[in-house]
């Protein structure tokens, strides 16, 4: 029995009438740019994320760029980012003219290692971008302590962790600002590109909003240099329709993960620190014989992926920094050993058992 890596069709069919209506309403009202549904989604998502404000934008990568700009980070500044993350976390830093500085991650949690941060701080360091990778919160209390001690801003890249928590507190509420992606495959996904920024700081929210719309809050009133990174109206309507289901979908992912924990015996499964709520955007197993596991799954028609094949310091676009293999040992080991296996809310018990039994053949 083949099992897909994710199944966006199953999710759509489970809420088809709500989605179809949300899209049709936009068309009926010819509401394609702007419109009340954007504000409604922003308010709903802010509430979901435990933040005072949410600003929608075009995608999760723009969200990071906009957050950095709004915090006043720019050319000449350095920003600390984990060596293991999706390329956007670092690329956004380059794209505002600042320099990403890579920090290795913790092997068990796969998030930025707080013990390695201080050695990378210079007098040019302005901010840290912890990433809640795969859906597990980064170690925010240690990170905030270091950031506060050195006067650094913290942007939580929450693209993979909608609804994750530490001790009952939603991620995104630890740093000054948090960024989200609503790429279709994310835990809350649109039907195209979309992103968002949350913060408790009203001024910061206003600045972000201005940046997303040509530096204006009112038409032809350009206060700062901005750009066009507006949240698309149809995407906002879809996200608003999907958001009420996110809690249930997240609980299902967690239940599926529990089942994997029970069944998987031949490989290492994700470690979750006490008090941390992992929302399993990705269920990444770890094995020294990763390529054999991958081969078994490929042969059985079970979807899988490597997140990510290389630590960012070693990808060609960062060759200019001159990093050598061996400088980020934990990220390098993880890139060689991790494998993401099927994880989506609509998975059935049978599918989970099938995936586990194939991996256990190892
Ligand atoms: C998906 C993702 C992004 C970027 O989101 P897009 O909407 O694809 O631009 C940023 N950071 C991380 C960690 C991501 O997983």
């Amino acid at each position: 029995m083949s099992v897909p890596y994710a199944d966006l069709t199953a999710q759509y069919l489970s809420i088809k009438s709500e989605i179809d209506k949300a899209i049709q309403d936009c068309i009926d009202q010819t509401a394609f740019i702007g419109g009340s549904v954007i504000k409604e989604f922003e308010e709903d998502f802010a509430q979901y994320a435990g933040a005072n404000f949410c600003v929608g934008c075009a995608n999760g990568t723009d969200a990071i760029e906009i957050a950095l700009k709004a915090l006043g980070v720019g050319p000449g500044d350095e920003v600390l980012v984990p060596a293991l993350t999706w390329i956007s976390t670092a690329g956004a830093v380059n794209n505002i003219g600042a320099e990403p500085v890579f920090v290795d991650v913790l092997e068990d949690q796969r998030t930025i290692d707080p013990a390695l941060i201080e050695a990378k701080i210079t007098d040019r360091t302005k901010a840290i971008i912890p990433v809640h990778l795969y859906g597990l919160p980064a170690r925010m209390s240690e990170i905030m302590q270091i950031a506060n001690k050195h006067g650094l801003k913290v942007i939580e890249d929450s693209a993979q962790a909608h609804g994750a928590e530490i001790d009952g507190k939603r991620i995104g509420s630890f740093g000054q600002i948090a960024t989200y992606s609503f790429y279709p495959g994310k835990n809350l996904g649109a039907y195209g590109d979309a992103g968002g920024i949350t913060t408790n700081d009203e001024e910061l929210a206003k600045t972000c909003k201005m940046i997303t719309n040509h530096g204006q809050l009112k038409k032809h009133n350009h206060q700062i240099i901005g750009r066009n990174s507006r949240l698309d109206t149809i995407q906002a309507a879809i996200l608003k329709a999907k958001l009420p289901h996110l809690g249930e979908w997240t609980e299902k992912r967690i239940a599926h993960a529990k089942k994997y924990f029970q069944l998987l015996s031949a490989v290492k499964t994700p470690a979750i620190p006490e008090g941390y709520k992992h929302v399993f955007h990705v269920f990444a197993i770890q094995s020294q014989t990763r390529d054999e596991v991958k081969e078994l799954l490929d042969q059985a028609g079970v979807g899988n992926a490597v997140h990510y094949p290389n630590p960012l310091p070693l990808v060609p676009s960062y060759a200019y920094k001159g990093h050598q293999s061996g400088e980020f040992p934990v990220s390098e080991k993880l890139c060689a050993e991790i494998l993401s296996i099927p994880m989506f809310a609509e998975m059935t018990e049978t599918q989970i058992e099938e995936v586990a039994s194939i991996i256990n053949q190892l």
Side-chain angles (χ1 to χ4, degrees):
M1 180 182 71
S2 71
V3 180
Y5 179 68
D7 189 348
L8 297 181
T9 308
Q11 192 194 60
Y12 169 58
L13 293 177
S14 74
I15 51 167
K16 184 175 185 311
S17 60
E18 295 160 55
I19 296 288
D20 291 355
K21 182 178 184 311
I23 296 172
Q24 193 60 49
D25 284 351
C26 292
I27 299 171
D28 289 344
Q29 295 159 22
T30 57
F32 302 126
I33 304 287
S36 57
V37 75
I38 295 201
K39 191 155 174 279
E40 288 160 19
F41 169 67
E42 287 172 339
E43 284 171 5
D44 291 355
F45 192 75
Q47 192 179 15
Y48 175 85
N52 291 342
F53 306 97
C54 169
V55 175
C57 65
N59 57 66
T61 309
D62 279 6
I64 303 170
E65 287 188 28
I66 293 162
L68 285 163
K69 273 203 174 156
L71 286 168
V73 182
D77 295 335
E78 291 176 354
V79 178
L80 306 185
V81 301
L84 181 69
T85 176
W86 170 240
I87 188 79
S88 300
T89 315
V93 176
N94 292 96
N95 284 330
I96 58 137
E99 193 55 39
V101 172
F102 296 110
V103 180
D104 209 355
V105 299
L106 292 159
E107 177 162 353
D108 283 347
Q109 293 160 53
R110 298 124 175 211
T111 51
I112 195 166
D113 185 347
L116 302 177
I117 291 177
E118 279 193 304
K120 301 272 178 152
I121 296 174
T122 71
D123 51 10
R124 290 187 298 277
T125 311
K126 281 284 166 59
I128 309 176
I129 312 183
V131 179
H132 306 305
L133 198 73
Y134 307 151
L136 178 69
R139 299 210 62 102
M140 292 313 298
S141 63
E142 288 104 312
I143 294 166
M144 290 313 299
Q145 237 172 16
I146 299 165
N148 292 335
K149 181 174 153 197
H150 294 272
L152 307 178
K153 305 286 191 205
V154 173
I155 297 157
E156 295 177 59
D157 182 344
S158 310
Q160 302 189 1
H162 318 67
E165 295 174 0
I166 303 173
D167 295 331
K169 197 172 167 217
R170 285 267 149 105
I171 49 119
S173 46
F174 296 90
Q176 279 74 33
I177 198 160
T179 62
Y180 289 87
S181 166
F182 305 120
Y183 176 86
K186 297 286 159 81
N187 286 23
L188 178 64
Y191 285 12
D193 277 311
I197 301 157
T198 61
T199 179
N200 287 331
D201 181 329
E202 188 169 9
E203 277 308 305
L204 210 47
K206 239 191 227 172
T207 307
C208 290
K209 188 84 192 171
M210 282 199 270
I211 294 172
T212 63
N213 194 18
H214 306 296
Q216 62 184 6
L217 288 175
K218 281 190 304 212
K219 201 162 192 170
H220 304 306
N221 191 350
H222 310 287
Q223 300 291 324
I224 56 175
I225 305 291
R227 52 184 293 192
N228 176 1
S229 180
R230 293 180 297 244
L231 172 60
D232 181 273
T233 309
I234 290 179
Q235 302 307 338
I238 291 166
L239 291 166
K240 180 173 184 277
K242 286 177 82 170
L243 185 57
H245 300 282
L246 183 56
E248 188 198 325
W249 291 334
T250 303
E251 292 315 310
K252 284 189 176 161
R253 282 177 184 270
I254 293 169
H256 299 338
K258 284 207 176 114
K259 185 100 193 155
Y260 271 142
F261 284 131
Q262 283 167 12
L263 296 175
L264 289 170
S265 50
V267 294
K268 199 173 154 189
T269 50
I272 307 173
E274 186 70 29
Y276 280 52
K277 181 175 180 177
H278 192 320
V279 295
F280 296 101
H281 171 57
V282 162
F283 193 95
I285 57 171
Q286 188 179 344
S287 166
Q288 285 175 359
T289 53
R290 189 267 314 275
D291 294 338
E292 282 166 52
V293 185
K294 185 165 183 19
E295 185 66 28
L296 283 172
L297 292 172
D298 285 344
Q299 271 168 13
V302 171
N304 63 82
V306 176
H307 298 109
Y308 298 92
N310 294 294
L312 292 186
L314 302 181
V315 304
S317 52
Y318 287 109
Y320 77 89
K321 286 173 151 310
H323 287 304
Q324 300 297 320
S325 159
E327 278 183 62
F328 300 89
V330 178
S331 296
E332 289 169 48
K333 180 169 192 272
L334 287 170
C335 290
E337 297 184 355
I338 45 176
L339 188 67
S340 311
I341 61 173
M343 172 53 76
F344 51 97
E346 299 75 17
M347 267 187 109
T348 62
E349 292 250 330
T350 323
Q351 286 177 316
I352 298 168
E353 285 160 7
E354 169 78 3
V355 176
S357 76
I358 292 163
I359 296 169
N360 286 341
Q361 285 169 24
L362 202 68

